[in-house]
Amino acid sequence: MIVLRAKNIAFDVTYIDLRNKPDWFLAISPHGKVPVLQVGGSAEEGGQALFESNAIAEFLEDAEQPHLHPEDLLQRARNRAWTDFVPTFAGGLSALYYASSEDGREERFAAARQRLGKLEAALAERENPGPYFNGPELSLVDAAYAPFLQRFRHVDRWLQSGLLQEFEQVSRWADALGASDVVSGSVPENFFAEFNGNMQRRGFLVGRLMAENPEVSAG
Ligand SMILES: N[C@@H](CCC(=O)N[C@@H](CS)C(=O)NCC(=O)O)C(=O)O
């Protein structure tokens, strides 16, 4: 969604209830996961479905201007390498809030710090002043990390881990992504209410904190 918005491509969106996936969705999503991009109309109209966010992003990059990958081939490869780190990074952050109790807290924090540290080093050694990964324009790396940083900034209002603040470059990057309309408008209005409901329903510690203090202020 972020890439579609960054490239100003017209699209329709259908949200899927992941607890009750419709058959038509399962037919086009081999792993039963979102996102799926349906290109060129529905299957009956001869359209094609694409799955896996990176594959979708790279397809959109090849198909539509403006280009979000840098021109320089080495930089482009480095960007792709950092995009490959997203699942590891996201797993480290989400483990902090997919936790039902304080047990294992130290290990979770250590794992998250290790991953944040790698990203901090990557941001520190890039040769541009930001605010995004490659400079003033949003790139595919930004699009790949933004949802996870956006969710973490949200839950950390309750978790109060203070972890992002330990990593100055990541923290500034997360703030810049949070301030981007392309990123903030990529989720529906009720997204964070649904997200909080999910945390509470699944009995996570952060869900209990949300229930106790629903009005905790932003940032
Ligand atoms: N590697 C996939 C991961 C997608 C993914 O994990 N999607 C989650 C939501 S963020 C999902 O659809 N989960 C539903 C399920 O696994 O049943 C991608 O990047 O597209």
Side-chain angles (χ1 to χ4, degrees), residues 62-172:
D62 289 341
E64 300 280 348
Q65 306 268 0
H67 289 309
L68 306 183
H69 260 321
E71 280 299 311
D72 182 81
L73 294 185
L74 280 171
Q75 207 184 349
R76 206 183 288 194
R78 242 179 256 124
N79 273 17
R80 289 190 172 117
W82 281 110
T83 300
D84 281 353
F85 184 59
V86 167
T88 310
F89 175 79
L93 287 194
S94 60
L96 295 169
Y97 52 91
Y98 289 149
S100 306
S101 73
E102 294 282 5
D103 293 352
R105 185 177 191 276
E106 287 309 312
E107 290 80 357
R108 285 194 296 277
F109 268 59
R113 276 199 183 96
Q114 190 254 9
R115 284 147 199 188
L116 282 159
K118 289 197 180 202
L119 207 48
E120 180 77 5
L123 287 162
E125 74 190 21
R126 75 198 154 148
E127 283 157 8
N128 71 71
Y132 301 123
F133 199 81
N134 293 142
E137 305 299 335
L138 207 81
S139 72
L140 290 189
V141 185
D142 299 285
Y145 280 90
F148 303 103
L149 288 167
Q150 184 186 33
R151 284 163 186 63
F152 187 69
R153 272 161 50 97
H154 172 77
V155 284
D156 211 32
R157 288 159 58 189
W158 288 272
L159 280 180
Q160 299 278 324
S161 75
L163 275 176
L164 273 186
Q165 292 70 21
E166 291 178 24
F167 299 89
E168 194 201 332
Q169 303 271 349
V170 180
S171 187
R172 273 204 269 137

Side-chain angles (χ1 to χ4, degrees), residues 9-28:
I9 303 168
F11 63 94
D12 292 321
V13 58
T14 305
Y15 293 103
I16 302 299
D17 178 354
L18 294 173
R19 284 174 291 158
N20 186 18
K21 300 169 188 168
D23 290 341
W24 65 262
F25 168 71
L26 291 171
I28 59 171

